[in-house]
Amino acid sequence: MLLTDTHTHLYYETDEEKQALLMQRCFDNNIERLFLPNVDIASIASIDAMVKKYPKNCFAMAGLHPCEVKEDYELVLDEICQSIVDREIYAIGEIGIDLYWDKATLEIQKIAFIEQINWAKDLDLPIVIHCREAFNEVFEVLEQEKDKKLRGIFHCFTGNLEQAKHAIELGFYLGIGGVVTYKKSGLDEVLKDIPLANIVLETDSPYLAPVPFRGKPNESSYLIHIAEKLAEIYNTSVEEIASVTTANSISIFKV
């Protein structure tokens, strides 16, 4: 069995011993592929350090998180873009729009989102979308930018069935994480009408820990609990969930 965490900030743990333990717990649970989303300039070095330590297991992304889009975003984007030249990356992310924390930056979030979509198209890479309280705004941008090259993952998907189908129609997989294990999320009901062929697994570690760890720091090894919940929803085995979702991740990231 081979599980893939398509979205983890495991690199936030800078203590080498603790980080090694986090990785070992992943391996103990057959989680051997981890994709590391970039959020700002500072996180580039941390991601690269993990990739260097675990070249067969950790895979880098590059991007500016929408919550990090500030007045100096153009300079920051330039620096992140320049970093791509000398690095092996597998997606542009995480990028998108977040209206939970700051609605005032919507216009520059859109500009940054579109610019990074264009990076992805130029490099023929998928994008990994952060969308929080902004489905209408994100869909508006995607409809404007859609073409044969636009593809990727709706990270931490928590939308309704209509939004799920719209995302899939636009060429995106749904990133399903710990929220699916929460009793009142309603995500389990949405997924009953979504084929497993459109799903990938993620933790968003250290955030959004699944039951039975809800409210505690998340980690990539907890992906097994998300896989178990999906096995219940799709009435199949954890092995089948692992097989299909890992194949989906390979289709997206080409690795």
Side-chain angles (χ1 to χ4, degrees), residues 69 96-99 102-113 134 137-138 140-141:
V69 176
I97 300 174
D98 188 309
L99 298 181
D102 190 355
K103 293 180 174 67
T105 60
L106 173 59
E107 288 311 311
I108 58 173
Q109 284 190 52
K110 280 185 181 178
I111 294 167
F113 187 22
E137 291 79 4
V138 167
E140 181 184 347
V141 169

Side-chain angles (χ1 to χ4, degrees), residues 167-218:
I168 292 165
E169 285 166 7
L170 285 165
F172 288 83
Y173 289 77
L174 308 182
I176 303 301
V179 174
V180 75
T181 69
Y182 303 168
K183 281 185 179 178
K184 295 182 180 179
S185 75
L187 194 52
D188 53 343
E189 292 300 317
V190 171
L191 293 184
K192 286 176 182 177
D193 290 307
I194 299 297
L196 190 57
N198 300 115
I199 301 296
V200 291
L201 304 185
E202 61 168 68
T203 59
D204 200 20
S205 159
Y207 313 111
L208 299 172
V211 173
F213 302 101
R214 187 176 183 181
K216 298 178 181 178
N218 198 3

Side-chain angles (χ1 to χ4, degrees), residues 63-131:
L64 181 62
H65 191 291
C67 290
E68 299 299 325
V69 176
K70 312 294 185 186
E71 288 181 6
D72 64 346
Y73 76 95
E74 291 170 312
L75 293 172
V76 175
L77 284 177
D78 283 346
E79 191 164 339
I80 293 173
C81 189
Q82 287 301 314
S83 79
I84 295 171
V85 177
D86 300 316
R87 303 167 65 224
E88 188 83 50
I89 63 164
Y90 295 89
I92 300 298
E94 64 188 280
I95 65 175
I97 300 174
D98 188 309
L99 298 181
Y100 178 81
W101 295 107
D102 190 355
K103 293 180 174 67
T105 60
L106 173 59
E107 288 311 311
I108 58 173
Q109 284 190 52
K110 280 185 181 178
I111 294 167
F113 187 22
I114 291 167
E115 181 172 335
Q116 292 176 95
I117 288 172
N118 287 323
W119 294 356
K121 289 179 179 181
D122 290 344
L123 295 164
D124 195 21
L125 290 173
I127 62 172
V128 173
I129 297 175
H130 173 106
C131 174

Side-chain angles (χ1 to χ4, degrees), residues 147-166:
D147 61 17
K148 290 180 180 178
K149 286 191 170 184
L150 184 67
R151 66 190 191 279
I153 298 171
F154 255 80
H155 149 59
C156 192
F157 182 82
T158 54
N160 59 34
L161 182 58
E162 182 184 355
Q163 290 162 338
K165 289 181 175 178
H166 194 178

